[in-house]
Amino acid sequence: MPWRFLFLVFLSTPALAQDQLATTNSAPPVASYEKCVINASKLLTEVFDLMKKNYYKKDFIAWDSLQLLAQQQVKASTTCEGAYDAINHCFKLLKEQHSFVMPAIKAATYNNDTSYVCFSQNWKEQVGSCRAELLEPEIGYLEVPAISSTDRWICEKMSDSLQSLIAHLDRSGVKHWIIDLRKNTGGNCWPMLTGIGPLLQTDTCVYFIRNEERVPVIYKNGKTYQGKYERCGTSQPGYQLANKPLQIIVLTGNRTASSGEIVALAFRGMKETIMMGLPTAGLTTANATYQLSNNAMLVLSVCQEADRKGRIQEGRMKPDIIIESKYGEDTALQEALMKLREVKILSNY
């Protein structure tokens, strides 16, 4: 089965309850508690089997010791949530910040799984801040949103929307771009990459690397591929720029995380491209998802990411130019605009 990465982080959405291993979070009667322990132990074994096989640092982990510690924590737990606590504790011991178990209800919402839970689809609740603006003649601004859904309709709609915004700015004569990722806390990278595809210039923009295996992420004519597998596409053929970008500035910040970081990575190594702002969150590994027997979902880091030149990114991405914003002022955006004004003047000579 091909790798399938989603680049997930928790977004600023209403809290959802974890799918229960029994009927209560408090200490249950003995018979019920024994059932809790059995269910928790089963879930723990299920997660460890997946981690041993797929975790990108699997060859460097003392699995027997770690699993024994987790089992002891489950047995000592006074609630039915011992498995979740034990798994989270293991990730903490491994200093793994990008792997976690997604609650069942949140997983169902993310995957649009109405077989598990009924909900009304509201894509606006699953998409972060997004806007585009012509700041000055030839200078355009695009904010790329976090997208917390794998639903095909939402992914296509967001890809279409981003490309439509790019087309509008391009037809307005934009040659100098500001791409703002400072509020992009992650989610599903595929509609983000598809949406900004017209600006990426070359087909291969990122690589996923695991041991000796290197899988390219490719954008081509409105579709994004993981190797040879299509992951997301626009409803129509992809937009082609009329004006070649003379300069692109990518704004990042401490909230730029996970798939927000892979979008930033997709721009790194491009000619006439600068990253400005603050270092990113550092969740720069690629995640795969695995549905668990209780309908929760394990989100597990399974490989590393590299830019279009094959340079592996570990931890936080540092901008080319560090800019600390002053209170009440968007200093990074102001500095980016000043930089583009300079480039614009020089390009007109």
Side-chain angles (χ1 to χ4, degrees):
M1 179 178 292
W3 308 354
R4 184 169 185 174
F5 305 133
L6 299 179
F7 306 92
L8 305 170
V9 292
F10 285 113
L11 305 178
S12 299
T13 52
L16 294 171
Q18 175 71 59
D19 187 47
Q20 302 297 306
L21 297 179
T23 57
T24 178
N25 280 326
S26 60
V30 175
S32 178
Y33 179 70
E34 289 177 351
K35 184 177 180 180
C36 281
V37 172
I38 293 173
N39 290 341
S41 297
K42 177 183 176 182
L43 187 68
L44 196 66
T45 299
E46 190 176 347
V47 169
F48 265 87
D49 286 346
L50 290 167
M51 290 169 62
K52 290 175 184 177
K53 183 178 179 181
N54 300 293
Y55 184 50
Y56 80 113
K57 292 183 178 179
K58 63 182 180 180
D59 296 334
F60 305 98
I61 308 299
W63 290 112
D64 290 343
S65 299
L66 188 65
Q67 189 164 2
L68 178 61
L69 180 65
Q71 290 169 342
Q72 291 172 342
Q73 184 170 343
V74 167
K75 291 179 181 178
S77 175
T78 58
T79 74
C80 291
E81 306 307 306
Y84 301 117
D85 295 337
I87 293 167
N88 290 333
H89 184 61
C90 287
F91 285 136
K92 185 176 181 180
L93 292 175
L94 295 175
K95 297 182 179 180
E96 172 55 54
Q97 298 180 318
H98 203 197
S99 299
F100 54 91
V101 175
M102 180 180 285
I105 296 176
K106 190 175 183 70
T109 303
Y110 194 94
N111 294 318
N112 195 32
D113 182 7
T114 55
S115 65
Y116 178 69
V117 61
C118 293
F119 55 88
S120 59
Q121 187 182 67
N122 186 350
W123 68 273
K124 292 183 179 180
E125 294 179 358
Q126 296 172 285
V127 177
S129 177
C130 176
R131 68 186 179 94
E133 185 178 351
L134 182 66
L135 299 178
E136 294 181 3
E138 298 187 2
I139 298 178
Y141 170 93
L142 177 66
E143 184 177 31
V144 181
I147 301 172
S148 181
S149 176
T150 60
D151 178 69
R152 187 177 183 87
W153 179 83
I154 293 177
C155 293
E156 183 180 278
K157 184 176 181 66
M158 287 312 304
S159 299
D160 286 347
S161 296
L162 285 169
Q163 291 214 3
S164 177
L165 293 173
I166 289 173
H168 175 74
L169 291 174
D170 181 52
R171 290 165 183 156
S172 300
V174 168
K175 300 177 182 178
H176 311 272
W177 294 80
I178 297 174
I179 307 300
D180 196 344
L181 302 173
R182 291 175 295 172
K183 295 179 183 178
N184 192 320
T185 53
N188 184 353
C189 74
W190 302 114
M192 301 178 199
L193 292 171
T194 305
I196 55 97
L199 296 172
L200 293 177
Q201 297 183 8
T202 58
D203 291 351
T204 299
C205 56
V206 174
Y207 289 94
F208 297 148
I209 297 177
R210 182 165 65 183
N211 299 324
E212 301 302 317
E213 190 173 5
R214 181 184 297 241
V215 178
V217 173
I218 300 167
Y219 170 81
K220 195 169 185 178
N221 195 29
K223 299 182 184 298
T224 304
Y225 302 84
Q226 180 185 320
K228 64 180 180 180
Y229 298 97
E230 181 185 335
R231 295 307 185 201
C232 185
T234 53
S235 60
Q236 303 293 327
Y239 181 73
Q240 303 292 325
L241 291 176
N243 300 289
K244 180 181 178 181
L246 300 179
Q247 182 83 65
I248 296 176
I249 293 179
V250 180
L251 298 181
T252 63
N254 296 332
R255 294 181 63 198
T256 308
S258 192
S259 54
E261 290 173 288
I262 201 172
V263 174
L265 194 63
F267 282 102
R268 196 172 75 179
M270 283 176 51
K271 293 181 179 180
E272 312 302 336
T273 299
I274 299 174
M275 187 181 297
M276 298 174 65
L278 294 174
T280 63
L283 305 180
T284 49
T285 52
N287 287 349
T289 60
Y290 306 91
Q291 186 170 5
L292 303 176
S293 58
N294 70 334
N295 289 308
M297 189 164 66
L298 173 65
V299 182
L300 186 68
S301 294
V302 296
C303 75
Q304 294 176 291
E305 302 165 3
D307 65 17
R308 63 183 60 207
K309 295 185 177 181
R311 297 174 296 188
I312 293 176
Q313 176 63 44
E314 294 190 18
R316 303 175 77 182
M317 297 180 65
K318 296 182 180 179
D320 301 299
I321 302 175
I322 300 290
I323 300 176
E324 296 278 355
S325 289
K326 297 178 182 178
Y327 181 77
E329 297 182 15
D330 194 343
T331 310
L333 180 58
Q334 293 171 6
E335 291 288 336
L337 187 55
M338 289 178 60
K339 180 72 174 176
L340 291 182
R341 286 170 179 161
E342 294 173 4
V343 174
K344 179 180 172 182
I345 291 172
L346 292 174
S347 66
N348 287 331
Y349 280 100

